[in-house]
Amino acid sequence: MVLMKIKHYYAAFNRTIVSDLILPEFIAINAPISKPDITIIVDQVSENGLAEPLQSGAFFQSNREAFWLHVPKVARFLVTHGQQIIIDPYSNVSEEASRVFLIDSCFKALLHQQQYLVLEGVAVEVAAHAVVFLMRTGYGKSTLAALFSKQGYSILTDEICAITRNMQIVPASSMVYLWGNIAKQLNVDIQLSKLVRPGIDKYLKPINFCNQALPIHHFYFVDYHKRNDIEFNTITPSKKFDALQNELCEPSYLKKISHSSTYLSDILNIPMVKIMCPRKHYTMKQMGYIFNEIFSEIEQDMLRKVQNHG
Amino acid sequence: MASRKGIYWLSSYPKSGNTWIKIFLAQVLSLSGLLDPKRKQLMPINEVESWINDDIAVARAWVNEACGFNTAWLTDDELDNLMPQLYQWYGKQQSKITYHKIHRAYTYLDDGQPLLPTDGCFGAIYIIRNPLDIAISMANHFACSIDDAITMMADRCYALYYYPLRQLLLSWSMHVTSWTDAKGINILILRYEDMLSDTFAIFSKVLQFLKLDVRESIIKKAIAHSSFEALQKFEQTQGFLDKPPMLKHFFRKGIAGDWQNTLSTEQIKRVISDHGEVMRKWGYLNDCW
């Protein structure tokens, strides 16, 4: 007798998903989907990686059609043709322990395979547009998203910015992953929240979610300096190209197969602003605190720019 | 002939002279044209960090890049288990010899392999400093009391979390023993006090260990421009970028024996009680104590 696996149906990134795993980050669809855009299954994945990788790291390989990832003692993943993700978990590893790698790296690779330009950042809805804060890993994306949500803004994504050719950003997840200490700082109740991954003090929190693709109004490139003030600098057209080269916040494992050159002329038309935030604290986990202190300045600048540019 | 590539570690417990040797080495490499054959000149102090730093010991960006996933999703122990493979991967990406500052203790994983792999590693310079003096510098560096610094130095599980990657230091004694007893790694052990009292001889030994054949005039010039007085003056006039934001000065006193004027008898007894055995082994205890 063959046991049928229970299938779970979701919507995210303007796509339908059928999955062997429960994915609380995405919006559940109650009725089965006959032709899903994306399939996530548990099956075997090769230990040896891809036959012809164009880019390799210590634990990943990628080319234009496939992305192979090995998280030692957790799982192997294979993402192919923008349509399928196979997970091969180590024995005795829970779904919770492997899910976050699927949601993060694997979905970024999958959306890249679907020809989206995939960047890392936060996208907030303002006046039917998306304002995008591009930030590197560990710079406080979830904190910023949680702060905007707390102020009543709708969020399209707190991590994966999947950008279409007509410069729209597609909605990602209705949840943020929030550090326990940051949640405490922001007075966000996490008592009933699930841990994102066992052993990691990060919690799954629902946010005000904008579930439709929106045109990008402007980009912020967020960085830190060793001063106590916050600085906003509009990037002039002549400097935009350099800014894109250095600060686009593409996942590093996709850089050698990047679509950014295809998107270049369209991105250059989008206004860009560099924000230098004060780095008062040392640990990366504490850097999110900074946004709590400077949030109103960021919000004011954002609203001013949206009003001025229509 | 294939060029040599591999890693040298510049290691010590914090506040033990690691920055000094890092700046000296950067000046030697720069003056002798080993970094840029067209620019045989002194390196501005604040540029040293771009050439010799502790990024591969403490930074997460290169680790995430090598992994292909966000390592913030791993526990510290899970990530430590990946470090040998990551350092080997890092070594393979380099085209020449690289030098890296590190404060980690030399620890082993559950399967017995060292966290810092010996494969692809040419060796390590390890600096020991009198823990009685370290306690004063630690208190200043971490903005805590000397008593708290002494407690920190005795903590057998102590780790630095001030940086993205956890760095297990263990206690001062355990740190020293972990490196000085490390098996399979080529190691040059130095005492900070000897670096102060016999600078030219010790620094020449360092270059010999690193297989850098450098003219005496270059060594002397590099020593002069990495001396404590030169660095202190530089910090006062131009600012030292490596200085943690909460510190007034990075280069504070740089002397040996300050403990005699600063520590109370009670504090001295605590340090000796915690570390006496290792202190005696490395010549920091005389018959009076």
Side-chain angles (χ1 to χ4, degrees), chain B residues 192-208:
Chain B
Y192 178 75
E193 295 72 16
D194 301 332
M195 288 162 64
L196 276 175
S197 64
D198 201 1
T199 312
F200 183 81
I202 298 292
F203 279 42
S204 298
K205 210 165 141 183
V206 164
L207 298 178
Q208 207 179 348

Side-chain angles (χ1 to χ4, degrees), chain A residues 80-120:
Chain A
T80 48
H81 301 105
Q83 292 176 335
Q84 187 183 58
I85 302 174
I86 306 174
I87 307 164
D88 185 359
Y90 280 61
S91 56
N92 301 323
V93 169
S94 66
E95 280 189 15
E96 285 77 18
S98 61
R99 194 185 70 237
V100 68
F101 303 102
L102 164 84
I103 298 289
D104 191 19
S105 294
C106 293
F107 261 91
K108 285 173 186 166
L110 181 134
L111 291 161
H112 176 86
Q113 289 166 6
Q114 289 186 357
Q115 305 304 311
Y116 284 104
L117 175 63
V118 178
L119 306 178
E120 293 171 344

Side-chain angles (χ1 to χ4, degrees), chain B residues 102-163:
Chain B
I102 192 165
H103 286 311
R104 275 181 189 269
Y106 196 83
T107 56
Y108 299 83
L109 303 175
D110 290 344
D111 62 4
Q113 66 171 318
L115 185 144
L116 302 173
T118 50
D119 192 21
C121 171
F122 285 125
I125 293 170
Y126 183 71
I127 309 168
I128 308 173
R129 187 185 183 193
N130 189 339
L132 292 163
D133 281 332
I134 294 177
I136 305 165
S137 293
M138 286 277 277
N140 177 64
H141 192 85
F142 291 106
C144 64
S145 68
I146 290 177
D147 284 321
D148 286 345
I150 293 171
T151 304
M152 223 187 274
M153 291 167 68
D155 184 344
R156 298 170 64 83
C157 301
Y158 192 74
L160 286 177
Y161 287 97
Y162 289 83
Y163 305 97

Side-chain angles (χ1 to χ4, degrees), chain A residues 58 60 100 105 177 197 226 282-283, chain B residues 66 68-69 73 78 161 241 244:
Chain A
F60 78 89
V100 68
S105 294
Y177 296 154
R197 187 169 185 265
K226 288 184 177 178
Y282 239 164
T283 73
Chain B
F69 58 85
W73 301 123
E78 282 178 318
Y161 287 97
L241 290 179

Side-chain angles (χ1 to χ4, degrees), chain A:
Chain A
M1 189 178 77
V2 179
L3 282 175
M4 291 292 288
K5 281 179 185 153
I6 298 171
K7 299 287 181 188
H8 307 275
Y9 301 92
Y10 300 99
F13 304 105
N14 278 359
R15 296 285 189 271
T16 53
I17 301 165
V18 58
S19 169
D20 284 351
L21 267 62
I22 297 171
L23 306 173
E25 289 85 350
F26 298 150
I27 292 174
I29 298 173
N30 293 326
I33 303 159
S34 56
K35 286 186 181 171
D37 300 311
I38 299 163
T39 308
I40 299 169
I41 57 170
V42 176
D43 206 342
Q44 284 194 329
V45 172
S46 161
E47 292 180 13
N48 304 319
L50 305 178
E52 293 178 8
L54 288 173
Q55 189 179 347
S56 299
F59 301 111
F60 78 89
Q61 295 179 358
S62 58
N63 60 30
R64 296 196 191 285
E65 293 82 32
F67 174 70
W68 176 90
L69 178 69
H70 177 209
V71 184
K73 295 184 181 172
V74 177
R76 287 190 180 80
F77 301 85
L78 182 66
V79 185
T80 48
H81 301 105
Q83 292 176 335
Q84 187 183 58
I85 302 174
I86 306 174
I87 307 164
D88 185 359
Y90 280 61
S91 56
N92 301 323
V93 169
S94 66
E95 280 189 15
E96 285 77 18
S98 61
R99 194 185 70 237
V100 68
F101 303 102
L102 164 84
I103 298 289
D104 191 19
S105 294
C106 293
F107 261 91
K108 285 173 186 166
L110 181 134
L111 291 161
H112 176 86
Q113 289 166 6
Q114 289 186 357
Q115 305 304 311
Y116 284 104
L117 175 63
V118 178
L119 306 178
E120 293 171 344
V122 176
V124 184
E125 181 193 0
V126 186
H129 283 75
V131 174
V132 182
F133 296 82
L134 296 176
M135 300 161 76
R136 294 195 175 88
T137 300
Y139 273 32
K141 288 189 283 285
S142 298
T143 309
L144 189 61
L147 276 162
F148 274 117
S149 181
K150 210 176 155 190
Q151 294 298 318
Y153 291 91
S154 294
I155 311 298
L156 289 98
T157 177
D158 75 321
E159 177 65 39
I160 306 178
C161 295
I163 298 170
T164 63
R165 280 307 304 270
N166 59 354
M167 290 293 110
Q168 291 207 337
I169 191 148
V170 296
S173 165
S174 57
M175 299 273 184
V176 291
Y177 296 154
L178 208 54
W179 287 109
N181 59 341
I182 299 289
K184 202 173 165 187
Q185 171 85 2
L186 305 184
N187 288 324
V188 174
D189 185 9
I190 48 169
Q191 275 194 347
L192 298 174
S193 302
K194 282 185 179 173
L195 279 176
V196 173
R197 187 169 185 265
I200 305 292
D201 184 39
K202 228 172 181 186
Y203 297 83
L204 208 54
K205 280 301 293 179
I207 43 165
N208 294 329
F209 182 50
C210 172
N211 197 14
Q212 61 172 32
L214 294 176
I216 297 170
H217 189 276
H218 64 278
F219 285 115
Y220 282 110
F221 296 105
V222 182
D223 209 340
Y224 289 87
H225 59 187
K226 288 184 177 178
R227 301 206 317 247
N228 287 329
D229 59 326
I230 180 168
E231 193 176 86
F232 297 89
N233 283 312
T234 300
I235 299 172
T236 56
S238 62
K239 299 216 168 132
K240 276 185 175 178
F241 185 77
D242 284 346
L244 290 176
Q245 295 292 310
N246 300 323
E247 305 183 57
L248 202 52
C249 293
E250 274 190 290
S252 54
Y253 45 87
L254 302 176
K255 276 192 176 155
K256 285 193 182 163
I257 48 172
S258 171
H259 299 317
S260 58
S261 57
T262 318
Y263 281 73
L264 195 61
S265 58
D266 296 315
I267 297 181
L268 288 170
N269 289 326
I270 307 257
M272 296 174 193
V273 181
K274 173 101 181 176
I275 307 183
M276 296 303 286
C277 300
R279 187 180 163 183
K280 293 178 185 172
H281 303 279
Y282 239 164
T283 73
M284 297 301 277
K285 285 180 189 174
Q286 287 174 335
M287 283 169 89
Y289 288 146
I290 292 161
F291 287 117
N292 206 14
E293 294 170 18
I294 59 175
F295 179 76
S296 63
E297 289 178 76
I298 293 175
E299 184 187 22
Q300 280 165 26
D301 189 82
M302 177 183 82
L303 294 175
R304 203 164 37 238
K305 286 192 169 57
V306 172
Q307 280 159 11
N308 289 347
H309 299 291

Side-chain angles (χ1 to χ4, degrees), chain B residues 198-247:
Chain B
D198 201 1
T199 312
F200 183 81
I202 298 292
F203 279 42
S204 298
K205 210 165 141 183
V206 164
L207 298 178
Q208 207 179 348
F209 177 79
L210 298 174
K211 295 188 167 53
L212 293 170
D213 189 12
V214 179
R215 286 204 319 269
E216 191 178 314
S217 59
I218 288 181
I219 302 174
K220 284 183 175 163
K221 198 169 179 183
I223 287 174
H225 285 85
S226 56
S227 71
F228 193 83
E229 293 71 28
L231 297 177
Q232 204 173 34
K233 193 175 168 191
F234 175 84
E235 184 178 15
Q236 280 163 7
T237 53
Q238 299 188 48
F240 182 50
L241 290 179
D242 219 6
K243 178 183 81 66
M246 67 277 201
L247 278 192

